[in-house]
Amino acid sequence: MTTLVTGATGNTGRHVVAELVRRGERVRALTRNPAAAAFPAEVETVAGTHTSPAELGSALDGVSRLHITVTAGLAEVGPELVRRAVDAGVRRISVVWGGWVGPVEQAVAESGVEWTRLEPQEFMSNTLTWIDSIRTEGVVREPYDFPSALVHEADIGEVAAVALLEDGHAGRAYNLTGPESLTTRERIAILSRAIRRDITFVPITHEQAVERLMATGVSRADADYVIGWYAAPTDDATTVVDTVEKVTGHPARTFAQWVAEHAQCFATPRVTA
């Protein structure tokens, strides 16, 4: 049985691929640039994107399980992706939601096959947006200092793999968090200790945060939504739950573990003469 992982080189997709490989499963990874994917030899890498489902005929051949990560541009074509997948023989789907139950998530729930929806809260990998300011200035600029129950992307990937491979998860929506709820300042303190460098928290305004996100190509509407989420986090975003442990059998990975894995990214570049 083959599992197709869409967005296979993304923050969560690559962890789904890794966990399926670890379990000895046949994996087909969908990515725009197979040459740069750097997957193990046993992974079948195919070119494509889930936002162009009409072009995925061969990618879906022989696939019985499908993993979808809802990303920008998928809402309009996601239902077609789900329909084509089911028509091709997919019988089990895991989907990482886009923050709410939208057209893709609804199409998966109405697909007529077994499905599991993963509802992770803030990704620990969002911390990577601090790299440049930490390396060049030793500062982090954010508008808010509210707690967040951040979840490690590897835990999301592992939960997805379990849902795809094991029975008992059909029709379930899993809220996923890490094992602790941390404020921005608390995250900075953990990171500071790991890289042995003082990091200063510099508050910025809501509008400055929106404009900074828009400068990366995000629309005003999406930027307002993202920064608004930080301005008024929901109980789900700040409350720790033990779903990861219940599904995988081990405690959720900590932010300190994530930092240890990525500390070198934040280190100041060595200056050579």
Side-chain angles (χ1 to χ4, degrees):
M1 298 176 70
T2 298
T3 301
L4 176 65
V5 178
T6 71
T9 55
N11 285 333
T12 59
R14 60 188 179 89
H15 288 290
V16 180
V17 171
E19 183 61 22
L20 290 170
V21 169
R22 190 185 72 82
R23 291 168 177 258
E25 298 295 321
R26 295 179 59 183
V27 185
R28 186 174 295 163
L30 185 70
T31 176
R32 287 185 176 90
N33 187 1
F39 287 124
E42 58 265 41
V43 175
E44 179 188 358
T45 308
V46 294
T49 170
H50 58 347
T51 56
S52 298
E55 301 174 6
L56 298 183
S58 60
L60 288 167
D61 285 347
V63 169
S64 56
R65 298 178 293 237
L66 172 67
H67 177 76
I68 302 170
T69 300
V70 177
T71 57
L74 190 61
E76 296 79 10
V77 298
E80 180 186 355
L81 170 65
V82 174
R83 177 181 60 78
R84 288 179 178 273
V86 173
D87 288 346
V90 167
R91 292 295 174 260
R92 186 173 287 181
I93 301 173
S94 62
V95 56
V96 175
W97 75 340
W100 62 90
V101 179
V104 185
E105 295 86 347
Q106 192 64 34
V108 169
E110 297 172 355
S111 64
V113 302
E114 294 185 1
W115 59 270
T116 307
R117 185 170 65 245
L118 310 186
E119 302 180 354
Q121 299 306 316
E122 184 179 5
F123 292 3
M124 292 182 183
S125 61
N126 286 354
T127 308
L128 294 173
T129 62
W130 297 349
I131 287 176
D132 288 344
S133 64
I134 288 177
R135 293 180 70 174
T136 60
E137 305 173 80
V139 303
V140 168
R141 295 181 178 87
E142 293 293 343
Y144 303 108
D145 191 32
F146 293 124
S148 176
L150 305 111
V151 59
H152 196 303
E153 299 76 38
D155 284 333
I156 302 171
E158 189 170 347
V159 171
V162 171
L164 287 166
L165 301 176
E166 299 179 9
D167 295 333
H169 304 283
R172 304 292 297 275
Y174 288 139
N175 176 28
L176 304 179
T177 76
E180 54 197 344
S181 190
L182 300 169
T183 65
T184 302
R185 292 181 188 273
E186 289 171 332
R187 290 162 63 187
I188 290 171
I190 293 171
L191 185 52
S192 180
R193 289 194 294 271
I195 66 174
R196 299 180 181 179
R197 182 183 179 187
D198 290 337
I199 305 171
T200 303
F201 174 61
V202 178
I204 59 175
T205 68
H206 182 101
E207 184 60 26
Q208 284 174 321
V210 169
E211 291 176 353
R212 181 177 65 182
L213 193 53
M214 289 175 61
T216 67
V218 175
S219 69
R220 161 67 71 168
D222 286 345
D224 280 334
Y225 172 80
V226 170
I227 303 305
W229 183 89
Y230 286 106
T234 64
D235 288 343
D236 284 344
T238 61
T239 304
V240 170
V241 295
D242 61 355
T243 311
V244 169
E245 183 168 8
K246 286 181 177 178
V247 174
T248 67
H250 67 73
R253 294 166 172 88
T254 66
F255 183 65
Q257 287 176 278
W258 184 94
V259 168
E261 296 163 6
H262 297 85
Q264 190 57 40
C265 297
F266 299 89
T268 304
R270 184 182 299 274
V271 177
T272 57

Coordinates of all heavy atoms in Angstrom, one line a residue, residues 134 138-140 188 191-193 195 197-201:
I134 N 17.9 37.8 15.4 CA 18.8 37.3 16.5 C 20.2 37.3 16.0 O 21.1 37.7 16.8 CB 18.3 35.9 16.9 CG1 17.0 36.0 17.7 CG2 19.4 35.2 17.8 CD1 16.4 34.7 18.0
G138 N 20.6 40.4 17.9 CA 20.3 39.9 19.2 C 19.0 40.3 19.8 O 18.8 40.5 21.0
V139 N 18.0 40.5 18.9 CA 16.7 41.0 19.3 C 15.6 40.1 18.7 O 15.8 39.5 17.6 CB 16.4 42.5 19.0 CG1 17.5 43.3 19.6 CG2 16.3 42.7 17.5
V140 N 14.4 40.1 19.3 CA 13.2 39.6 18.7 C 12.2 40.6 18.8 O 11.9 41.2 19.9 CB 12.8 38.3 19.5 CG1 11.3 37.9 19.1 CG2 13.7 37.2 19.3
I188 N 12.1 33.0 24.3 CA 13.4 33.7 24.1 C 14.4 33.3 25.1 O 15.6 33.1 24.8 CB 13.1 35.3 24.1 CG1 12.4 35.7 22.8 CG2 14.5 36.0 24.2 CD1 11.9 37.2 22.9
L191 N 15.7 29.9 24.2 CA 16.6 30.0 23.1 C 17.9 30.7 23.5 O 19.0 30.3 23.0 CB 15.9 30.8 22.0 CG 16.6 30.9 20.6 CD1 17.0 29.6 20.1 CD2 15.7 31.6 19.7
S192 N 17.9 31.7 24.3 CA 19.0 32.4 24.7 C 20.0 31.5 25.5 O 21.2 31.6 25.2 CB 18.6 33.6 25.6 OG 19.8 34.3 26.1
R193 N 19.5 30.7 26.3 CA 20.3 29.8 27.1 C 21.0 28.7 26.1 O 22.2 28.4 26.3 CB 19.5 29.0 28.1 CG 19.1 29.9 29.3 CD 18.6 29.1 30.5 NE 17.4 28.4 30.2 CZ 16.2 28.9 30.3 NH1 16.0 30.1 30.9 NH2 15.1 28.2 30.0
I195 N 21.8 29.1 22.9 CA 22.9 29.6 22.1 C 23.9 30.4 22.8 O 24.8 31.0 22.2 CB 22.3 30.4 20.9 CG1 21.6 31.7 21.4 CG2 21.3 29.5 20.1 CD1 21.1 32.6 20.2
R197 N 23.7 33.3 24.3 CA 23.7 34.7 23.9 C 22.5 35.5 24.4 O 21.4 34.9 24.4 CB 23.7 34.8 22.4 CG 23.8 36.3 21.9 CD 23.8 36.3 20.4 NE 23.8 37.7 19.9 CZ 23.7 38.0 18.6 NH1 23.4 37.1 17.7 NH2 23.7 39.3 18.3
D198 N 22.7 36.7 24.9 CA 21.5 37.5 25.4 C 20.7 37.9 24.2 O 21.2 38.3 23.1 CB 22.0 38.7 26.1 CG 22.6 38.4 27.4 OD1 22.3 37.4 28.0 OD2 23.4 39.3 27.9
I199 N 19.4 37.7 24.3 CA 18.4 38.1 23.3 C 17.4 39.0 23.9 O 16.8 38.7 25.0 CB 17.7 36.9 22.7 CG1 18.7 35.9 22.1 CG2 16.7 37.3 21.6 CD1 18.1 34.6 21.7
T200 N 17.2 40.2 23.3 CA 16.2 41.2 23.9 C 14.9 41.1 23.2 O 14.8 41.0 21.9 CB 16.8 42.6 23.7 OG1 18.1 42.6 24.4 CG2 15.9 43.6 24.3
F201 N 13.8 41.2 23.9 CA 12.5 41.3 23.4 C 12.1 42.7 23.1 O 12.2 43.5 24.1 CB 11.5 40.6 24.3 CG 10.0 40.8 23.9 CD1 9.6 40.3 22.7 CD2 9.1 41.5 24.7 CE1 8.3 40.5 22.3 CE2 7.8 41.6 24.3 CZ 7.4 41.1 23.1

